[in-house]
């Protein structure tokens, strides 16, 4: 056998990667992640989109998707990091700014939340969901009049945007304007017949006004629609104020409503029960 000359070496074959194909693979994985997220398979979706950010590191859409999934799974800090990366790649993306505002609101950093949401609205104004989120932020800051202004703007853009109508009712109730609150909640219920929250809020108000028969019937109907609203913690997460929470506790502790809650929970398997989205 011939001997290798000095300096000769076996060079391994190096695979040449096509950046365009890698980008396409990354975007394909991101699309798979979107589909998985629609079925609430968040961990599988996260695995794919993390890989997608390595294959398509310059895609703001992929980083935005990663940030959104982190927020969905309550990994707020990771979500902010991913969304800031998306913003660095595309600083004119209003959806990223809105998502950052939502993330900072969940962290309790309300001033930063307001800044991001307003920045997004400067790029894309009159987005009902963003106006609603801004209203929620003001509500959590105790700036009630500013909150109502934003809710009304959301309703002006989409007249059937019942969550904004509902939340105006929350503010009216805390200020003692119970009849006005009931009207807002009844309007919200008329828009969405499957919305449990405004029905339960109306039931609480009627119960405190002494109309117990109608209140109990409405409360039972609301709990059948979504028994997660029977949890005071969920109601607080949905921005119910102290006065309304205290009154809701009185209604929820009645024997008839306790029986309705037990029955509703018995009908729902753990897989069917869903947490109410945080506002």
């Amino acid at each position: 056998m011939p001997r290798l000359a000095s300096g000769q070496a076996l060079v391994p074959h190096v695979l040449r990667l096509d950046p365009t194909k890698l980008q396409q693979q990354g975007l394909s994985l991101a699309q798979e992640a979107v589909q998985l997220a629609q079925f609430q398979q968040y961990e599988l979706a996260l695995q794919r989109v993390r890989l997608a950010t390595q294959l398509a590191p310059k895609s703001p859409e992929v980083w935005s998707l990663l940030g959104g999934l982190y927020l969905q799974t309550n990994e707020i800090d990771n979500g902010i990091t991913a969304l800031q990366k998306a913003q660095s790649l595309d600083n004119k993306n209003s959806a990223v700014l809105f998502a950052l505002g939502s993330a900072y609101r969940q962290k309790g950093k309300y001033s930063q939340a307001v800044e991001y949401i307003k920045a997004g609205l400067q790029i894309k104004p009159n987005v009902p969901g963003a106006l609603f989120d801004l209203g929620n932020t003001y509500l959590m800051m105790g700036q009630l009049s500013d909150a109502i202004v934003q809710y009304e703007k959301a309703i002006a853009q989409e007249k059937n945007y019942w969550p904004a109508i509902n939340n105006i009712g929350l503010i009216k109730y805390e200020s003692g304007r119970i009849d006005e609150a009931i009207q807002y909640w009844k309007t919200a219920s008329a828009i969405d017949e499957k919305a449990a929250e405004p029905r339960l809020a109306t039931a609480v108000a009627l119960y405190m006004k002494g109309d117990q028969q109608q209140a109990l019937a409405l409360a039972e109907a609301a709990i059948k629609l979504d028994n997660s609203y029977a949890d005071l913690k969920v109601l607080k997460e949905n921005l119910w104020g102290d006065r309304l929470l205290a009154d809701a506790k009185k209604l929820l502790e009645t024997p008839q409503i306790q029986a309705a809650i037990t029955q509703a929970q018995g009908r729902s398997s753990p897989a069917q029960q869903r947490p109410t989205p945080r506002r």
Side-chain angles (χ1 to χ4, degrees):
M1 295 291 291
R3 298 175 64 183
L4 290 175
S6 178
Q8 282 184 301
L10 294 175
V11 179
H13 175 69
V14 178
L15 179 64
R16 292 186 178 181
L17 300 177
D18 186 337
T20 302
K21 289 184 178 180
L22 291 177
Q23 175 89 359
Q24 291 173 345
Q25 290 174 353
L27 295 177
S28 178
L29 282 170
Q31 186 59 47
E32 287 181 27
V34 170
Q35 294 171 354
L36 288 166
Q38 289 174 345
F39 292 97
Q40 298 184 0
Q41 297 184 40
Y42 297 122
E43 190 54 45
L44 291 175
L46 277 168
Q47 291 174 9
R48 281 162 175 76
V49 79
R50 285 192 198 104
L51 180 55
T53 60
Q54 297 177 38
L55 297 173
K58 295 184 179 180
S59 170
E61 293 81 9
V62 172
W63 284 104
S64 177
L65 175 60
L66 178 60
L69 285 171
Y70 276 134
L71 296 186
Q72 191 69 41
T73 55
N74 231 14
E75 298 182 55
I76 308 301
D77 290 332
N78 286 336
I80 288 174
T81 299
L83 289 167
Q84 287 176 336
K85 177 66 175 179
Q87 186 191 12
S88 70
L89 294 168
D90 180 6
N91 61 7
K92 297 297 183 182
N93 189 322
S94 60
V96 171
L97 294 168
F98 294 148
L100 279 166
S102 178
Y104 277 108
R105 180 174 60 80
Q106 291 182 52
K107 281 181 68 69
K109 296 184 176 180
Y110 302 130
S111 296
Q112 288 173 275
V114 168
E115 289 177 10
Y116 276 110
I117 298 171
K118 282 186 173 181
L121 287 168
Q122 287 181 348
I123 297 169
K124 191 173 183 180
N126 303 324
V127 178
L131 293 166
F132 175 69
D133 206 15
L134 183 56
N136 289 342
T137 307
Y138 281 133
L139 177 54
M140 298 174 86
M141 296 172 74
Q143 298 177 210
L144 304 185
S145 58
D146 290 332
I148 289 177
V149 168
Q150 299 306 318
Y151 291 145
E152 289 177 340
K153 286 182 179 180
I155 298 164
Q157 296 303 313
E158 187 178 328
K159 66 179 182 179
N160 289 336
Y161 200 85
W162 73 262
I165 297 170
N166 177 83
N167 283 19
I168 294 177
L170 298 181
I171 295 173
K172 297 292 184 182
Y173 194 91
E174 292 303 304
S175 63
R177 299 161 76 172
I178 296 175
D179 290 334
E180 288 184 42
I182 290 173
Q183 289 306 312
Y184 277 101
W185 291 329
K186 284 185 175 180
T187 300
S189 297
I191 292 170
D192 188 347
E193 296 179 353
K194 294 183 179 180
E197 182 180 358
R199 279 173 172 74
L200 183 59
T202 304
V204 173
L206 291 174
Y207 187 79
M208 299 310 297
K209 283 173 65 71
D211 190 350
Q212 295 188 1
Q213 184 175 357
Q214 187 178 357
L216 292 169
L218 268 176
E220 283 185 318
I223 289 165
K224 286 180 182 178
L225 286 169
D226 188 344
N227 63 60
S228 68
Y229 282 99
D231 187 341
L232 291 174
K233 182 180 177 181
V234 170
L235 297 178
K236 186 173 183 178
E237 289 175 351
N238 280 273
L239 307 185
W240 285 37
D242 292 340
R243 179 175 184 171
L244 186 56
L245 284 172
D247 292 345
K249 187 173 185 292
K250 296 173 186 176
L251 174 60
L252 293 172
E253 288 179 346
T254 60
Q256 184 172 335
I257 300 306
Q258 282 293 304
I261 293 169
T262 301
Q263 186 177 12
Q265 290 174 342
R267 286 195 303 265
S268 301
S269 67
Q272 291 172 324
Q273 292 173 358
R274 57 177 179 82
T276 303
R278 182 176 297 174
R279 289 183 173 161

